[in-house]
Amino acid sequence: MFSSTFKRQLTKSIRFQSTFTIPKTQMGVIFETHGGPLHYKEIPVPIPKSTEILINVKYSGVCHTDLHAWKGDWPLPAKLPLVGGHEGAGIVVAKGSAVKNFEIGDLAGIKWLNGSCMSCEFCEQGDESNCEHADLSGYTHDGSFQQYATADAIQAAKIPNGTDLAQVAPILCAGVTVYKALKTADLRAGQWVAISGAAGGLGSLAVQYAKAMGLRVLGIDGGEGKKELFTKCGGDVFIDFTKYSRDENGNDKMINDIKIATNGLGPHGVINVSVSESAISQSCSYVRSTGKVVLVGMPSGAICKSDVFQHVVKSLQIKGSYVGNRADTREALEFFNDGKVKSPIKVVGLSKLPEIYELMEQGKILGRYVVDTAY
Ligand code: 8ID
Ligand code: ZN
Ligand code: ZN
């Protein structure tokens, strides 16, 4: 792996450049099999490669993608055993010899995209997330559910000094993703956007980014406290899907109510961040003619169904949107740094991760859970 000379140089550079003492072991959550036990235990501190930084992760957001990774319900192989997490915020405590863009002591963020080939057609044009060789934090690379994590220095997010690390953590995936999805929807100020899954981790930030972009926001979600959070995030009209029956009549009534609330024509765009196949297909029915349906949430095995006749005569577009690139990350962080979006978070210890997954599975989470790696 690493030559002993390199390791010596690294140790030397850590000693010379920093007052940080890096332990050999740390606490983290690791699992060996999909759906198997989530062990909160002592694990080795990883050693950064020449192109990587070592981040002392203070806080990490818990994204629904982490739950997919643990369950193994996506057709994309993950590394095992795996330390999940890809919304990590912390301090750079060591760096490899080739790293030019971070100094020891800087604040840095771990994102879903940890690295890509940087030479394929997609990387060349800034679509690094679409790279066939993408390396993913908390999926193909051990992530932020540990006290010390390595991150590719090129892809790691720059976080300004003095930033509240618990607050900024969810921006690193949820914030970047919904900001990019809203750009993908290509809407103008004053138009209506519907956020399906509006009070979850991505949804609660999507509502705020959309408002900051001057859009009118209709949110769809259901359950205790979701309407209240949506309103607190600045949303305009809330539709509680649990108040409608699940049969065809219920669906039609909900679609009709969404249209009535949006000048009778439906929203100009929809950001689908729910983890519900039926909610995704439904959005093709209530979106306005010439509107855009953006797919973000990825329920396992889901198919998006759109009636072809309606699709054609309404001239709809269905677009996928997958996290964001480095520029999207910087821009999404700028909205946060300017105070235009705030993360609705609940902070608990990293050891509580299994309980968070349980609540997430039941759709009971309001906003985002953030884990403190100290306990
Ligand atoms: O780059 C990407 N495309 C990307 C990035 C990050 C996350 C995609 N994701 C995916 C995740 O893997 C997951 O599939 O987005 C989805 C949502 O992630 P999340 O926001 O972290 O999940 P959450 O906090 O559990 O929120 C989901 C919300 O959807 C609501 C729930 O009540 C919850 O508030 N919801 C459900 I489940 N069914 C609904 C329905 N039928 C619904 N809302 C409206 N209608
Ligand atoms: Zn995520
Ligand atoms: Zn590439």
Side-chain angles (χ1 to χ4, degrees):
M1 268 250 290
F2 303 108
S3 71
S4 52
T5 332
F6 170 73
K7 276 190 192 164
R8 266 200 307 277
Q9 276 171 356
L10 181 67
T11 318
K12 214 170 147 192
S13 77
I14 294 164
R15 283 207 189 118
F16 279 105
Q17 289 188 36
S18 117
T19 51
F20 294 103
T21 313
I22 298 158
K24 291 212 159 41
T25 60
Q26 57 162 340
M27 294 306 286
V29 172
I30 189 161
F31 61 89
E32 279 95 31
T33 52
H34 290 297
L38 291 153
H39 305 286
Y40 175 63
K41 65 174 198 182
E42 208 168 321
I43 54 173
V45 170
I47 298 169
K49 291 187 207 155
S50 61
T51 51
E52 289 180 332
I53 51 178
L54 181 69
I55 301 175
N56 176 203
V57 180
K58 297 294 185 192
Y59 296 95
S60 177
V62 182
C63 179
H64 206 114
T65 293
D66 298 314
L67 178 58
H68 290 296
W70 172 58
K71 283 164 55 176
D73 66 7
W74 282 349
L76 179 69
K79 96 175 249 303
L80 287 173
L82 179 69
V83 176
H86 57 276
E87 287 185 347
I91 303 162
V92 178
V93 290
K95 62 176 201 166
S97 55
V99 175
K100 303 270 183 285
N101 59 335
F102 279 99
E103 296 302 330
I104 309 286
D106 284 353
L107 300 185
I110 291 171
K111 316 185 277 109
W112 174 244
L113 186 74
N114 182 56
S116 68
C117 82
M118 284 298 184
S119 68
C120 69
E121 180 182 323
F122 306 107
C123 287
E124 205 178 45
Q125 61 200 23
D127 295 323
E128 291 119 299
S129 5
N130 305 107
C131 175
E132 281 187 10
H133 305 288
D135 183 31
L136 309 170
S137 309
Y139 207 91
T140 56
H141 182 100
D142 282 339
S144 51
F145 295 152
Q146 53 184 342
Q147 293 172 310
Y148 292 87
T150 51
D152 180 276
I154 298 295
Q155 286 296 340
K158 294 251 170 199
I159 299 176
N161 277 342
T163 304
D164 180 325
L165 293 176
Q167 270 283 321
V168 79
I171 306 298
L172 298 164
C173 172
V176 173
T177 302
V178 299
Y179 171 66
K180 174 59 172 265
L182 284 160
K183 277 170 87 172
T184 303
D186 195 17
L187 302 170
R188 288 194 307 275
Q191 292 188 323
W192 278 101
V193 66
I195 313 287
S196 176
L202 267 63
S204 55
L205 286 171
V207 173
Q208 297 177 65
Y209 277 101
K211 287 311 291 180
M213 291 171 177
L215 299 170
R216 289 192 259 180
V217 182
L218 176 136
I220 309 160
D221 211 315
E224 215 45 39
K226 305 257 177 172
K227 182 179 181 179
E228 199 185 319
L229 175 62
F230 173 77
T231 311
K232 227 164 129 186
C233 289
D236 299 295
V237 176
F238 186 77
I239 297 280
D240 185 338
F241 76 90
T242 60
K243 300 234 161 95
Y244 297 84
S245 65
R246 295 290 171 105
D247 62 16
E248 213 170 295
N249 291 339
N251 284 339
D252 289 350
K253 172 135 186 25
M254 191 172 111
I255 287 166
N256 203 39
D257 285 355
I258 293 171
K259 287 188 176 170
I260 290 169
T262 50
N263 311 117
L265 296 172
H268 300 83
V270 186
I271 309 294
N272 278 291
V273 287
S274 79
V275 195
S276 159
E277 182 176 34
S278 59
I280 293 168
S281 293
Q282 233 172 22
S283 69
C284 300
S285 305
Y286 59 70
V287 70
R288 185 177 296 226
S289 286
T290 73
K292 294 105 168 181
V293 168
V294 182
L295 307 184
V296 179
M298 292 183 277
S300 171
I303 308 278
C304 171
K305 289 195 191 131
S306 180
D307 178 277
V308 173
F309 181 83
Q310 292 297 333
H311 199 107
V312 172
V313 298
K314 287 174 77 180
S315 305
L316 306 181
Q317 295 178 53
I318 301 180
K319 300 169 159 191
S321 187
Y322 186 32
V323 283
N325 64 15
R326 287 170 292 155
D328 300 317
T329 304
R330 177 179 44 72
E331 290 166 18
L333 281 165
E334 280 164 6
F335 275 77
F336 172 83
N337 295 331
D338 289 350
K340 294 193 175 95
V341 296
K342 292 189 169 56
S343 306
I345 55 170
K346 184 161 182 191
V347 181
V348 300
L350 174 58
S351 57
K352 296 273 184 277
L353 192 62
E355 289 151 60
I356 301 173
Y357 283 168
E358 222 170 291
L359 290 171
M360 190 173 258
E361 183 75 56
Q362 296 162 2
K364 284 194 180 153
I365 292 182
L366 290 177
R368 201 48 132 200
Y369 267 87
V370 166
V371 289
D372 181 337
T373 63
Y375 64 103

